């Protein structure tokens, strides 16, 4: 029988995989991919709480939909920033992008 | 139920690890798509069918394509094959994420265990729509404003700089 902790553990593992990708990769696009993975792991938590705990109808799912919308906005702005940074520095390596003023 | 959960867990973890560890960027993006599909499967197994469909449409349909476009637009043709894809201080990154994982799993030990509800709370799309129109009407409007602002902002940021500036 599956319990809530199973889903929460899976979400924790996926969150940490995304965190590791964000913290260890050089490429800015993979850093953004890690952030998307962390947001997805958080969504699993929301839906699992909705499924297992007595709550008001649909609250967890509605919150997860809001999180997906925020993630969409974040991905659009983040990738636009990556493209603008690439045009300026000719690189998306986060270790080479060190100057704030061009 | 249990088998499906374990298959999905192994699927998402494998594709997630591949997505952050492979050298080729396009392969990373494809592994990320597999990860998103696995998350949608977990939503389906939790009886959140609408959310699973939204996950596939938004992530697999839109965000994955956006990421692939960004990879194609910023591809370093000169090649950086000889340098490691991981940053210099990446040991600290692995260490921090391992510590976070240990803390999260440890904190899950104390929580109340609850079995699956007898009657799974199947939620119609109708209820979600009614929630958006009644109780969550103001957040719904705010999120649409945010999405519009993000759309305009993304276009402004990614616009070509005027030639005269350089």
């Amino acid at each position: 029988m599956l319990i809530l902790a199973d889903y929460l553990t899976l979400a924790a593992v996926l969150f940490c995989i995304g965190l590791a990708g964000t913290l260890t990769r050089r490429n800015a696009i993979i850093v953004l991919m890690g952030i998307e993975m962390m947001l997805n792991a958080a969504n699993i938590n929301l839906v699992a709480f909705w499924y297992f705990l007595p709550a008001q109808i649909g609250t967890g799912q509605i919150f997860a939909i809001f999180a997906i919308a925020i993630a969409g906005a974040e991905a659009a702005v983040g990738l636009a920033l990556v493209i603008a940074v690439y045009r300026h520095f000719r690189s998306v390596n986060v270790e080479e992008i060190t100057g704030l003023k061009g | 139920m249990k088998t499906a959960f374990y298959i999905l867990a192994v699927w998402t973890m494998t594709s997630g690890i591949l997505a952050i560890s492979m050298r080729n960027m396009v392969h990373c993006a494809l592994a990320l798509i597999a990860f998103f599909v696995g998350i949608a499967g977990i939503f389906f197994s939790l009886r959140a069918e609408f959310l699973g469909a939204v996950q596939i449409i938004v992530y697999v349909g839109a965000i994955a394509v956006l990421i692939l476009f960004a990879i194609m637009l910023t591809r370093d043709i000169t090649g950086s094959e000889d340098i490691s894809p991981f940053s210099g201080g990446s040991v600290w990154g692995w260490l921090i994420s391992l510590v976070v994982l240990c803390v999260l799993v440890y904190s899950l030990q104390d929580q109340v265990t609850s079995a699956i509800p007898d009657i799974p709370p199947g939620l119609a799309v109708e209820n979600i729509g009614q929630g958006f129109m009644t109780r969550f009407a103001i957040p719904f409007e705010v999120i649409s404003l945010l999405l519009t602002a993000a759309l305009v902002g993304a276009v402004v940021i990614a616009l070509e700089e005027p030639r005269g500036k350089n």
Side-chain angles (χ1 to χ4, degrees), chain B residues 98-108:
Chain B
L98 200 67
V99 168
V100 171
L101 178 65
C102 291
V103 169
L104 284 176
V105 172
Y106 175 75
S107 63
L108 284 176

Side-chain angles (χ1 to χ4, degrees), chain A residues 3 11 13 31 33-34 40-41 49 54 57 65 72 77 89 91 100:
Chain A
I3 56 169
V13 171
V31 171
M33 281 163 57
N40 268 294
F49 282 128
I57 193 158
I65 290 171
V77 174
F89 288 93
S91 165
L100 269 181

Side-chain angles (χ1 to χ4, degrees), chain A residues 50-75:
Chain A
W50 164 78
Y51 184 73
F52 283 102
L53 301 179
Q56 286 183 319
I57 193 158
T59 315
Q61 278 202 49
I62 289 172
F63 201 97
I65 290 171
F66 282 135
I68 287 176
I70 301 263
E74 175 259 327

